[in-house]
Amino acid sequence: MPRQLGDLEDAVMTRIWQWNRPVTVREVLEDLQQERSIAYTTVMTVMDNLHQKGWLRREVEGRAYRYTAVSTRAAYSAALMNEAWSQSDNAAAALVAFFGMMSPEQREALQAALRIVRGDGPADGADGQER
């Protein structure tokens, strides 16, 4: 189970997930610099660490690497939820507490997801919208 990403790791991965294409360190750096002062070597180190941890794959292109995400943000979120749930000594109580924290929209998304998993409903997305 992956550990939760750190703040800068999450900022990098968020961009890579959103862009959904191979990216260079320079592209991520330039986007991050719109929000904060950050060095090229810092972004390069973070992306190398994410590669070493298995979050990113990379391919050489010229003198640089192009990085792509190994999995999706949804898969990452699901793994974190599963890890948190598995730490409970009372799984049912943990689920009841979690469901109680959900907004009506989140509960609708959960119901749509359950229909998909069971295969007994229309091909709705997890957000309840038909595709």
Side-chain angles (χ1 to χ4, degrees):
M1 162 56 211
R3 67 168 183 79
Q4 186 169 354
L5 296 170
D7 290 340
L8 188 51
E9 290 174 328
D10 187 67
V12 168
M13 287 304 299
T14 294
R15 283 156 177 81
I16 294 171
W17 282 320
Q18 287 174 342
W19 296 338
N20 196 30
R21 62 174 172 76
V23 300
T24 64
V25 171
R26 174 91 35 216
E27 290 174 294
V28 175
L29 170 72
E30 290 172 357
D31 199 62
L32 284 169
Q33 284 178 330
Q34 294 177 28
E35 299 172 359
R36 63 178 93 183
S37 176
I38 190 166
Y40 179 92
T41 53
T42 301
V43 178
M44 181 179 65
T45 299
V46 168
M47 291 176 73
D48 182 60
N49 289 344
L50 288 165
H51 168 70
Q52 298 299 323
K53 293 176 181 180
W55 287 104
L56 297 175
R57 83 175 52 87
R58 66 184 179 194
E59 294 181 18
V60 175
E61 183 177 286
R63 294 177 54 200
Y65 287 114
R66 285 220 173 255
Y67 292 86
T68 54
V70 171
S71 67
T72 64
R73 166 73 87 177
Y76 166 68
S77 297
L80 290 178
M81 288 187 289
N82 187 57
E83 176 67 14
W85 183 43
S86 70
Q87 297 299 313
S88 173
D89 59 353
N90 186 335
L95 283 173
V96 168
F98 179 65
F99 296 156
M101 295 177 197
M102 294 175 120
S103 70
E105 295 80 18
Q106 289 171 322
R107 284 193 291 277
E108 288 175 22
L110 174 63
Q111 290 172 344
L114 288 171
R115 284 193 298 274
I116 291 168
V117 169
R118 287 190 309 250
D120 63 0
D124 288 353
D127 61 357
Q129 301 297 313
E130 288 195 8
R131 303 280 185 248

